[in-house]
Amino acid sequence: MSSEVRKAMTILYKVHNGLYVNLTNRCPCACTFCERQTRDHVSEVNDAPLWLEHEPSVEEVIAEFEKTDVTPYEEIVFCGFGEPTERLDALLEIAKYLKAHYDKPIRINTNGLGDLIWNEDITPKFAGLIDTISISLNTPDAKRYQEIVRSKFGDGSFEAMLKFAKDAKRYVPKVVLSTVETTITREEEAKCQAICDELGVTYRIRPFH
């Protein structure tokens, strides 16, 4: 990415059929594949920068929803250019607002390290608010995982992520672990499927953009 970083207050943005919420640029990982390292936006439809001038307040996020027609979107997704569980309290408060005002499923895209961020099991807080949690698995190998995601929490991150997925299943209707097609071998994908089968969650191979 160029040295000149574009910043804006892009709080809501469209990707495919979802309306995405950009809450924070903070993240405990520095993934080797992360789009943040090479570009300042994610959608080919909308090139608005996702680097934030400041983290939006709950009120600012709600104000954006109030002036947005949510009807065309299939779901609302907490994602953005950062790890959404870094702002857990704001996420939950906004999710409560969304559940009260819109008949749309809510998803969180996460690295699954929220328990390490907050030093507690955060999954019970999602009950009744979050419909899907999608967690980046990336690889079936713990050592390789740390090489790829470069978590500040170190070698325990892989097991913490798997525990988060297992615990989340008790409170969230759909839990998904994902990898990206072509980034790992078919044999590794089979191992990922076995991990998901053992945890009782869904395995998804995401398209490579």
Side-chain angles (χ1 to χ4, degrees), residues 124-171:
K125 300 176 187 290
F126 299 134
L129 295 176
I130 307 303
D131 300 286
T132 301
I133 289 184
S134 181
I135 305 163
S136 299
L137 174 59
N138 298 308
T139 172
D141 180 77
K143 182 174 183 294
R144 179 63 180 145
Y145 174 87
Q146 182 59 17
E147 291 172 355
I148 293 171
V149 307
R150 300 183 291 192
S151 164
K152 73 177 186 181
F153 298 112
D155 293 339
S157 298
F158 184 76
E159 290 303 324
M161 176 267 297
L162 295 182
K163 180 181 182 300
F164 176 84
K166 184 177 181 180
D167 291 344
K169 193 180 64 150
R170 295 156 56 192
Y171 306 102

Side-chain angles (χ1 to χ4, degrees), residues 4 22 40 61 76 80 89 108 130 141 157 163 198 202:
E4 184 179 346
N22 187 29
D40 57 19
V61 177
I76 297 169
D89 289 347
I108 298 175
I130 307 303
D141 180 77
S157 298
K163 180 181 182 300
E198 184 176 346
T202 300

